[in-house]
């Protein structure tokens, strides 16, 4: 099992905020994990804000009027940079975060940036059952992360959250598309048009796409989008439920 273990344990007074804290355990407490997670989210929000500000500044600089050759070239470069940052802001933030986290994981701290702030260190933690008379009933052996472990950590820190964010945005975009089709008269003639749910619009749209003169590839793509919007909320709910269940299992020492 791969987890984060603190280098220097915080003071006993700060740990009293939680119940049943084992001060001899190398595992971080739930409070420490929550603080590190909050720091990670705050850092991502700050990075997104910086990229948006950079794109805005580049687009503003491209509006400057200059008749010189250098001025025209600078205007084109600024416009390209601004439009690129605005269009691919998620990818730029992902690459910057990936570079920072990789440097942190390969450093002596061997932890993510937010975990380093709270004195944590990532390591393989192997638990072994000991005598019942021992302090915690378990012994933990810590092992350094291999290159494969670091790549897995990088994927969970950067790649998976990026893919989840892209799926969320794709779902919102397609959901709005189906909503517009419903509001635009997809079910025209029905007395309950404005009170029907989004699911009724999905069903009507799914029945209509096969009746239009569309190519087989287009029909398949439209059906795929339709099924994606129908299924994704349940996948999202399952993912959130598993995260909560894992956090509770960690809280009670079951993982």
């Amino acid at each position: 099992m791969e987890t984060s273990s603190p280098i220097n344990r915080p003071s006993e007074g700060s740990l009293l905020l939680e119940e049943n804290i084992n001060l001899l355990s190398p595992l971080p407490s739930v409070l420490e994990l929550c603080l590190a997670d909050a720091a990670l989210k705050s850092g991502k929000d700050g990075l997104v804000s910086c990229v948006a500000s950079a794109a805005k500044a580049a687009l503003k600089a491209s509006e400057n009027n200059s008749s010189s050759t250098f001025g025209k070239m600078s205007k084109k470069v600024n416009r390209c940079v601004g439009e690129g940052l605005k269009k691919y802001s998620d990818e730029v933030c992902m690459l910057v975060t990936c570079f920072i986290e990789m440097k942190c994981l390969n450093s002596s701290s061997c932890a993510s940036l937010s975990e380093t702030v709270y004195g944590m260190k990532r390591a393989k933690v192997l638990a072994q059952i000991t005598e019942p008379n021992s302090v915690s009933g378990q012994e933990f052996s810590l092992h350094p992360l291999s290159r494969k472990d670091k790549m897995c950590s990088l994927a969970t820190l950067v790649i998976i959250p990026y893919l989840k964010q892209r799926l969320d945005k794709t779902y919102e975009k397609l959901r709005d598309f189906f909503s517009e089709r419903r509001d635009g008269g997809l079910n025209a003639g029905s007395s309950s048009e404005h009170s029907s749910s989004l699911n009724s619009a999905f069903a009507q749209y799914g029945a209509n796409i096969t009746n239009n003169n569309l190519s087989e590839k287009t029909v398949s793509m439209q059906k795929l989008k339709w099924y994606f919007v129908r299924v994704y909320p349940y996948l999202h709910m399952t993912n959130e439920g598993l995260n909560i269940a894992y956090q509770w299992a960690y809280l009670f020492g079951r993982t």
Side-chain angles (χ1 to χ4, degrees):
M1 181 184 70
E2 180 183 328
T3 185
S4 302
S5 60
I7 299 175
N8 297 318
R9 301 295 299 177
S11 63
E12 183 175 355
S14 63
L15 290 174
L16 291 178
L17 295 173
E18 298 181 73
E19 297 181 356
N20 300 325
I21 295 297
N22 180 14
L23 298 178
L24 300 179
S25 173
L27 300 178
S29 65
V30 176
L31 176 61
E32 292 172 309
L33 293 178
C34 290
L35 291 174
D37 185 62
L40 177 62
K41 292 180 180 179
S42 177
K44 288 182 178 180
D45 293 341
L47 181 59
V48 170
S49 178
C50 289
V51 173
S53 299
K56 185 177 180 180
L59 291 175
K60 186 176 181 180
S62 65
E63 297 176 356
N64 296 332
N65 296 324
S66 179
S67 58
S68 63
T69 304
F70 177 78
K72 293 181 180 179
M73 184 180 300
S74 176
K75 182 178 180 179
K76 292 181 180 180
V77 171
N78 288 327
R79 182 170 60 251
C80 291
V81 171
E83 292 177 352
L85 289 177
K86 185 177 181 180
K87 183 177 181 180
Y88 301 103
S89 59
D90 293 337
E91 287 72 20
V92 172
C93 292
M94 187 268 292
L95 292 176
V96 174
T97 305
C98 185
F99 174 78
I100 295 175
E101 297 294 5
M102 177 59 75
K103 294 292 289 184
C104 292
L105 288 172
N106 288 329
S107 65
S108 58
S109 62
C110 191
S112 67
L113 180 60
S114 59
E115 293 165 352
T116 304
V117 173
Y118 292 98
M120 299 183 189
K121 182 176 181 179
R122 291 197 169 220
K124 281 186 176 180
V125 181
L126 302 179
Q128 300 176 350
I129 304 299
T130 59
E131 297 296 332
N133 295 330
S134 62
V135 176
S136 62
Q138 287 183 329
E139 277 186 356
F140 296 95
S141 57
L142 302 181
H143 302 274
L145 297 182
S146 63
R147 181 175 178 83
K148 181 179 179 181
D149 296 328
K150 293 179 180 179
M151 296 303 297
C152 291
S153 296
L154 186 66
T156 57
L157 287 169
V158 182
I159 306 301
I160 294 179
Y162 166 75
L163 294 177
K164 180 63 168 58
Q165 182 185 27
R166 296 299 301 175
L167 287 174
D168 290 342
K169 290 187 175 182
T170 301
Y171 166 75
E172 293 175 358
K173 181 179 179 180
L174 293 176
R175 181 192 60 189
D176 294 340
F177 167 76
F178 286 113
S179 298
E180 292 174 358
R181 291 296 299 266
R182 178 196 62 187
D183 298 335
L186 183 62
N187 296 323
S190 175
S191 59
S192 59
E193 173 186 358
H194 297 289
S195 60
S196 62
S197 63
L198 188 60
N199 287 335
S200 64
F202 294 157
Q204 184 66 32
Y205 182 74
N208 287 343
I209 56 177
T210 56
N211 298 329
N212 297 329
N213 296 325
L214 302 175
S215 64
E216 183 178 354
K217 182 178 180 180
T218 303
V219 172
S220 299
M221 289 300 299
Q222 294 297 324
K223 283 186 175 181
L224 182 62
K225 294 177 181 179
W226 177 56
Y227 286 122
F228 173 77
V229 177
R230 292 292 301 272
V231 173
Y232 186 73
Y234 300 99
L235 297 178
H236 177 76
M237 179 179 63
T238 302
N239 177 69
E240 294 298 320
L242 291 175
N243 288 335
I244 295 174
Y246 183 84
Q247 292 173 1
W248 277 98
Y250 184 86
L251 179 63
F252 290 103
R254 300 298 182 182
T255 181

